[in-house]
Amino acid sequence: MNQTVTIQIDGSPLQAEAGANLLAAALEAGIDIPHLCYHPKLSPTGACRLCMVKIEGQKGLVMSCAVAIEEGQQVTTRDEEIEDARRQTLEYLLAEQNEEYDGTYRDELRELVLRYGLEDPARRRYPKLTGLVNRHFDDSSPVLSFDGSKCIKCFRCIKACGEVQGKHVLSFNDRGIGSYIIAGLGHWSGSECDGCGECIQLCPTGAIVEKLHRDEIDLSAGQAATSDPPALHKVRTTCPYCGVGCQIELFVQNGRILRANGVEGIPPNYGRLCIKGRFGYDYVHSTDRLTAPLIKRNGRHEEASWDEALELIARRFNEIRAAHGPDALAGYASAKCTNEDTYLFQKFIRIAFGTNNLDYCTRLCHASTVTAMLKALGSGAGSNSIEDFAKAECLFITGNNIIETHPVTATFAKNGKEKGHKIIVCDPRWTPMVRYADVWLQQRLGTDVALLNGLTQLLIEGGYVDKAFIRERVEGGLDSFAALQQQVAAYTPERTAEITGVPAEKLRKAAQLYGGAETAMVVTGMGMSQSTSGTNNVYALINMMLTAGQVGREHCGIDPPRGQNNVQGVTDVGCSPIAYPGYIPVGNKENRRKLADLWQVPFEDLPAEKGLTTIEIAQAAGRGEVKGMFIMGENPMITDPDLNHTRKALENLDFLVVQDIFPTDTTPLADVILPAACFAEKEGTFVNSDRRTVRVRKAVEPPGQARPDYEILLDLAGRMGYDLGSYSGSSDIFDEIARVAPIFSGINYRRIEQQGIQWPCPSSDHPGTPTLFLDAFKTANGKAHLVPVEHIEPSEHQSSDQPFLLNTGRNLYQYHTSTMSRRSPALNEYSNSSYVLMHPKDARQYDLEDGAAVRLFNQRGEITSTIRLHDGVNRGEIFVPFHFRETAVNNLTRAELDPDSKIAPFKLSACGVEKV
């Protein structure tokens, strides 16, 4: 425990932690000490010299940001001498400052000028020296502008880029009064800046500002000049992109979102954002939005009234159920919708349809991870908080391109690296995290089980087995471990290297780093799960973790960051073919009786048989067994494997309804299209990757006739003759979720008004659970299970006409099927076209040059794209991002399923490549 001491500030006592920063403690206590270079999430600089104070026993004025608190300090923050010195310091700064101000950003220096009455240059002691200042201006970035004449050289942007984001792109160029900020070696556009905007948020003067929408801000709105930023209304909500759950402030004027900032001091992001979270909101106001119901007539979609559309849907779904039974219907939910939306969707499917044919995108990304974790650990959710990525002494990152897919989480990993922590990256292709890695294990596609078994064998060989942990917390104790030990013994470093292509010395180094760390976390992702052996991949990963005892303690565990904003929450609230809300199996009679009573439906009407998964629904539709389908917010014509088969399956349906915010590649196949509200147009909650329930708040009105998803569901259910309940708003729906799903029992909107809570939270006085498995695993007897697995050769191989193995994934600037992100122009300026990463030696072998247009083909389909040479992919392997509809890579992937998780192998498909 850190010692608490008492100091005196301006004659009043203040208790603070010994060694804490004096300025930080004063500000936290509400004591206003002027400052510009200081920010609570940066190391102190002392550059602006405005935070000067007097400390009894010390000569002169000292910078409070550079003082550590000690018992008994007597501090004076304001007297005539101090205030005159601050005023003089401000005058020094203003002598070099271009004071032009257009009112479109917050200027903290200007606020101090007003505070000290220095608006009139005639009242200042020092003449302007702006002629000597290098007015370096850089407008080359797609998202920001830099004006050196407004820079006070406070270092906040440099430290924001380095200390917070871990990128170290910014630095000073030149010396003295002529120095200025540069990105990389020169211009922003040619640097490694990825547009996260951390420098914008922390710049105190407007030297670095957003480019987007500045000319749209109406400065006559009458708000105070010191608001942040001026003339805009702030609405706090949650980012709609990946599963980090970043807390953001949307700045709104005249019904339009014009800016976004991170919310400082609040988990999980503590003010940090990525480019999508800060600049990816323009899609909300896109003219492409769906604004009215559409009914297909004579092969064309025509506008219709809500009454006409919903009456048609109700009649057709009821007819299908009456003629063919409940299981002839199916629902496909969305990880982009709120918990409240998706809870009512699963309730609708189970009551109005009467089936468990219900799934969503986790079947395409994390089903293998969840399946293995449920069996081995009793829970499929991430065990740790996002902040732990900076605290674990070793991170084992496998199958997750975390810097591009979960950029804010990655900043915490990079923060840990700055503190000396170790990072192991395990991935068949180079990803940006390799820059920070102590060792990169570049295995061949499809060899994950062999690699992980080999590492487990090396943990045993190196003496990194935690026998006490295994004895006490693993089912079967050392006997079950002996079976694992015997099984992995065959995976010697030499054999593992032969199978995987990873040199034995790298395997040994990785085992030493992971096994030798006091605390270690596994970070996994779709590179592991999207395989016909995906469940076995994760079993092997968990076996490695349990062998070393790197779980069940703080900063230890397994964490699969979720790819979409509410992937975690949609499963939590029951959009699953095998579980009701709270992960309670559909066959559990006691729970179904509880739900029947709460939902006021006959117990016998609630389906007890497992339903079909996403791909199984498509297969059943192709066979004519599923005849009607309701898709809410998903785009299977981009996301599903073997798209030619998916198209035929959807075309074979008797009736298809798609509810979305945009036209997609799926909507042309729909009989009825319903316009929905997006995240910024409704109230609700998401659950992020670390199980944190966070608020979503309405900032603007939906366009046209678009409505919140849950309102549409309630209306439609009523027209079908079913009552889903009476709710005054989204808060009432969440209260019902808390009654139905025990993991949410202690959570309500009031408790998460300021900060999210991590489930399980069993009671209203429970603080939530940052780390799972500290006392027991979630299995029946509280013990984890070892599940030995063998490496099995993939069923699809290269051939003479298809010599490449295709790997797919994401990039930083686009999101999922890009229906949102490609309608945000700033993101498109960074990346707006497909590409094929190919090893330069392979390109030479097949006479392909960088930038060449190529056709990729196999027996399932073909696409065209452009070659991009990169030696970070293995020979014989290629990588294509799946975001781009004109290059729908899932035309090439196969629908073969993992037998346990029913996931498809998106990461390994044989194909040929030829020049167009």
Side-chain angles (χ1 to χ4, degrees):
M1 294 289 292
N2 293 319
Q3 181 185 3
T4 299
V5 298
T6 301
I7 63 175
Q8 297 285 324
I9 297 186
D10 296 329
S12 299
L14 175 68
Q15 288 193 324
E17 183 181 303
N21 182 279
L22 175 58
L23 177 57
L27 294 174
E28 188 174 347
I31 300 167
D32 182 16
I33 299 176
H35 58 280
L36 286 174
C37 68
Y38 172 80
H39 192 278
K41 63 184 180 184
L42 304 177
S43 63
T45 304
C48 74
R49 304 188 67 79
L50 286 167
C51 67
M52 58 188 77
V53 296
K54 292 179 179 177
I55 299 179
E56 189 175 292
Q58 295 189 29
K59 292 182 178 180
L61 302 178
V62 297
M63 302 306 109
S64 59
C65 70
V67 174
I69 287 177
E70 298 176 6
E71 175 67 51
Q73 283 172 328
Q74 304 283 324
V75 181
T76 300
T77 69
R78 185 174 283 105
D79 63 16
E80 186 175 344
E81 180 185 6
I82 295 171
E83 287 295 275
D84 184 65
R86 285 179 182 147
R87 187 175 290 104
Q88 185 172 2
T89 300
L90 277 172
E91 293 178 64
Y92 278 131
L93 292 174
L94 291 170
E96 302 177 13
Q97 175 79 2
N98 167 21
E99 297 179 63
E100 296 171 358
Y101 180 62
D102 66 7
T104 63
Y105 55 88
R106 182 183 181 189
D107 188 335
E108 296 175 43
L109 175 60
R110 178 180 171 83
E111 293 170 16
L112 289 174
V113 169
L114 297 174
R115 174 174 170 175
Y116 282 89
L118 294 173
E119 306 97 300
D120 183 0
R123 299 184 60 185
R124 303 173 190 169
R125 280 168 276 197
Y126 306 108
K128 281 287 188 181
L129 301 174
T130 49
L132 302 176
V133 176
N134 186 340
R135 185 166 182 170
H136 181 79
F137 188 77
D138 188 342
D139 198 39
S140 63
S141 165
V143 295
L144 62 84
S145 299
F146 171 73
D147 184 349
S149 68
K150 293 182 177 296
C151 178
I152 60 170
K153 304 174 181 60
C154 67
F155 289 87
R156 265 167 63 164
C157 63
I158 293 174
K159 291 192 171 188
C161 186
E163 295 180 0
V164 179
Q165 290 281 336
K167 295 168 183 171
H168 301 282
V169 175
L170 303 184
S171 60
F172 273 116
N173 190 51
D174 215 333
R175 295 183 179 183
I177 196 171
S179 63
Y180 58 93
I181 300 293
I182 61 168
L185 298 176
H187 293 290
W188 244 274
S189 62
S191 73
E192 290 185 323
C193 172
D194 61 18
C196 74
E198 190 78 43
C199 56
I200 300 171
Q201 184 157 326
L202 268 62
C203 176
T205 67
I208 305 177
V209 294
E210 292 100 332
K211 290 173 71 171
L212 279 62
H213 306 300
R214 288 181 66 190
D215 58 346
E216 298 176 40
I217 297 175
D218 178 7
L219 300 177
S220 66
Q223 296 210 5
T226 57
S227 65
D228 181 17
L232 300 180
H233 171 61
K234 267 193 301 194
V235 178
R236 181 174 156 190
T237 188
T238 300
C239 179
Y241 283 102
C242 77
V244 177
C246 290
Q247 297 301 283
I248 60 175
E249 292 173 331
L250 299 178
F251 294 86
V252 180
Q253 189 179 72
N254 299 325
R256 295 184 63 84
I257 301 167
L258 299 180
R259 189 163 294 173
N261 267 354
V263 180
E264 296 288 0
I266 300 295
N269 55 313
Y270 298 92
R272 310 170 191 216
L273 292 178
C274 74
I275 185 171
K276 292 192 292 292
R278 191 177 300 277
F279 299 113
Y281 51 79
D282 279 343
Y283 74 89
V284 173
H285 306 297
S286 169
T287 56
D288 295 337
R289 288 286 300 274
L290 291 169
T291 58
L294 302 171
I295 293 176
K296 184 178 285 185
R297 297 186 177 99
N298 300 317
R300 296 181 61 182
H301 285 111
E302 300 176 356
E303 283 196 14
S305 68
W306 274 105
D307 283 338
E308 185 181 8
L310 293 180
E311 286 295 336
L312 173 61
I313 296 169
R315 177 172 59 81
R316 294 293 288 118
F317 280 153
N318 276 339
E319 288 173 349
I320 292 171
R321 176 172 177 169
H324 305 285
D327 290 334
L329 295 168
Y332 196 173
S334 173
K336 293 182 282 292
C337 295
T338 65
N339 293 315
E340 294 75 10
D341 294 331
T342 49
Y343 171 77
L344 282 189
F345 188 80
Q346 64 85 33
K347 191 175 180 180
F348 172 88
I349 298 298
R350 288 177 163 127
I351 293 176
F353 281 9
T355 182
N356 283 320
N357 291 342
L358 164 70
D359 211 349
Y360 77 107
C361 72
T362 195
R363 195 65 49 188
L364 306 174
C365 52
H366 278 292
S368 303
T369 309
V370 173
T371 300
M373 289 176 65
L374 281 171
K375 180 173 179 179
L377 308 174
S379 173
S383 57
N384 298 78
S385 300
I386 287 171
E387 301 98 309
D388 282 355
F389 283 67
K391 297 175 182 177
E393 289 186 10
C394 178
L395 292 179
F396 186 94
I397 303 172
T398 176
N400 196 317
N401 179 13
I402 189 172
I403 286 180
E404 297 197 80
T405 59
H406 305 87
V408 171
T409 298
T411 66
F412 289 95
K414 290 182 279 187
N415 296 160
K417 179 66 177 178
E418 293 279 349
K419 294 186 287 188
H421 297 172
K422 306 300 181 183
I423 295 176
I424 302 162
V425 171
C426 175
D427 204 296
R429 73 179 180 102
W430 184 93
T431 68
M433 187 55 79
V434 172
R435 294 193 189 104
Y436 304 86
D438 295 273
V439 58
W440 172 29
L441 308 178
Q442 188 183 16
Q443 81 276 29
R444 298 188 183 103
L445 283 169
T447 64
D448 300 278
V449 168
L451 179 72
L452 295 163
N453 281 352
L455 289 172
T456 301
Q457 191 275 335
L458 281 168
L459 290 174
I460 296 169
E461 179 185 290
Y464 297 115
V465 179
D466 191 335
K467 292 185 178 179
F469 172 85
I470 294 169
R471 186 183 301 111
E472 297 167 10
R473 302 202 56 186
V474 173
E475 177 70 21
L478 294 175
D479 290 338
S480 66
F481 175 70
L484 175 68
Q485 182 174 1
Q486 182 177 4
Q487 188 258 335
V488 300
Y491 293 86
T492 63
E494 292 71 28
R495 181 177 177 232
T496 303
E498 182 180 350
I499 296 171
T500 66
V502 178
E505 60 270 21
K506 286 193 173 184
L507 295 169
R508 290 189 174 93
K509 182 177 181 181
Q512 180 183 14
L513 292 176
Y514 181 77
E518 180 65 28
T519 57
M521 280 169 41
V522 164
V523 184
T524 185
M526 291 183 289
M528 286 282 287
S529 62
Q530 290 182 326
S531 165
T532 53
S533 62
T535 305
N536 283 353
N537 290 346
V538 182
Y539 281 141
L541 187 62
I542 293 171
N543 292 341
M544 181 188 78
M545 177 181 70
L546 294 175
T547 295
Q550 295 286 21
V551 65
R553 294 179 287 121
E554 298 285 354
H555 319 318
C556 295
I558 178 169
D559 294 270
R562 306 307 194 189
Q564 294 190 55
N565 51 304
N566 201 29
V567 169
Q568 185 64 55
V570 183
T571 313
D572 294 344
V573 302
C575 284
S576 164
I578 63 172
Y580 278 97
Y583 300 92
I584 302 172
V586 294
N588 184 311
K589 287 186 178 181
E590 181 181 352
N591 183 62
R592 287 206 321 283
R593 291 190 188 280
K594 170 187 170 183
L595 291 181
D597 181 60
L598 181 63
W599 291 350
Q600 297 183 348
V601 297
F603 165 73
E604 297 76 14
D605 288 356
L606 288 182
E609 298 299 321
K610 293 179 180 179
L612 299 176
T613 64
T614 296
I615 298 169
E616 290 175 328
I617 289 170
Q619 293 170 341
R623 296 190 299 268
E625 296 166 5
V626 168
K627 297 180 179 297
M629 191 172 179
F630 189 174
I631 299 175
M632 183 179 77
E634 277 299 342
N635 188 13
M637 280 307 302
I638 294 292
T639 59
D640 280 22
D642 194 357
L643 287 179
N644 287 324
H645 178 272
T646 300
R647 173 177 289 278
K648 291 176 183 177
L650 295 180
E651 289 174 340
N652 199 43
L653 290 167
D654 289 352
F655 194 67
L656 173 63
V657 176
V658 176
Q659 184 168 303
D660 214 316
I661 64 174
F662 285 113
T664 68
D665 289 78
T666 304
T667 54
L669 304 177
D671 295 284
V672 182
I673 304 170
L674 300 177
C678 76
F679 89 108
E681 298 156 356
K682 58 187 174 183
E683 300 286 327
T685 57
F686 298 149
V687 181
N688 78 338
S689 291
D690 63 8
R691 299 167 282 104
R692 195 183 308 265
T693 305
V694 288
R695 283 284 276 117
V696 178
R697 295 178 177 88
K698 183 175 180 178
V700 294
E701 293 297 325
Q705 300 176 50
R707 300 169 65 186
D709 293 279
Y710 79 83
E711 290 185 9
I712 300 172
L713 293 167
L714 290 171
D715 195 347
L716 177 58
R719 293 168 192 262
M720 291 179 67
Y722 299 94
D723 182 6
L724 295 188
S726 178
Y727 310 97
S728 61
S730 60
S731 179
D732 284 355
I733 302 173
F734 189 86
D735 289 344
E736 183 173 304
I737 294 172
R739 291 195 295 273
V740 169
I743 57 177
F744 293 112
S745 292
I747 304 176
N748 55 46
Y749 276 24
R750 178 187 55 79
R751 292 196 69 198
I752 59 173
E753 181 63 26
Q754 297 301 321
Q755 183 171 318
I757 295 176
Q758 292 163 276
W759 67 253
C761 180
S763 63
S764 60
D765 59 352
H766 192 282
T769 308
T771 307
L772 295 180
F773 315 134
L774 291 180
D775 300 316
F777 293 97
K778 302 302 180 181
T779 55
N781 63 359
K783 293 193 174 185
H785 295 264
L786 291 166
V787 185
V789 288
E790 292 284 0
H791 165 67
I792 300 172
E793 283 292 319
S795 60
E796 185 150 306
H797 300 275
Q798 296 110 314
S799 62
S800 58
D801 63 328
Q802 297 180 17
F804 291 98
L805 289 178
L806 168 66
N807 186 7
T808 68
R810 310 183 182 204
N811 72 22
L812 171 64
Y813 302 105
Q814 299 297 342
Y815 170 71
H816 205 233
T817 65
S818 68
T819 52
M820 292 162 30
S821 55
R822 289 184 87 183
R823 289 178 170 93
S824 295
L827 303 181
N828 292 338
E829 289 200 47
Y830 285 90
S831 173
N832 197 28
S833 60
S834 178
Y835 50 87
V836 181
L837 295 185
M838 179 179 286
H839 197 283
K841 291 183 179 179
D842 283 339
R844 285 196 295 272
Q845 179 179 345
Y846 292 96
D847 192 27
L848 299 170
E849 65 275 3
D850 193 49
V854 292
R855 182 175 77 98
L856 279 64
F857 61 90
N858 59 24
Q859 64 274 25
R860 291 174 290 275
E862 64 178 56
I863 60 173
T864 57
S865 189
T866 304
I867 289 291
R868 185 179 295 180
L869 300 184
H870 199 291
D871 60 8
V873 292
N874 281 314
R875 295 287 310 273
E877 297 177 4
I878 56 176
F879 173 85
V880 181
F882 84 99
H883 305 294
F884 304 101
R885 61 179 303 273
E886 62 273 23
T887 310
V889 70
N890 283 326
N891 279 302
L892 304 174
T893 57
R894 52 204 167 104
E896 180 184 353
L897 301 182
D898 178 299
D900 295 311
S901 65
K902 311 297 184 184
I903 203 170
F906 293 92
K907 302 301 184 190
L908 194 153
S909 303
C911 68
V913 180
E914 64 181 20
K915 187 179 295 186
V916 175

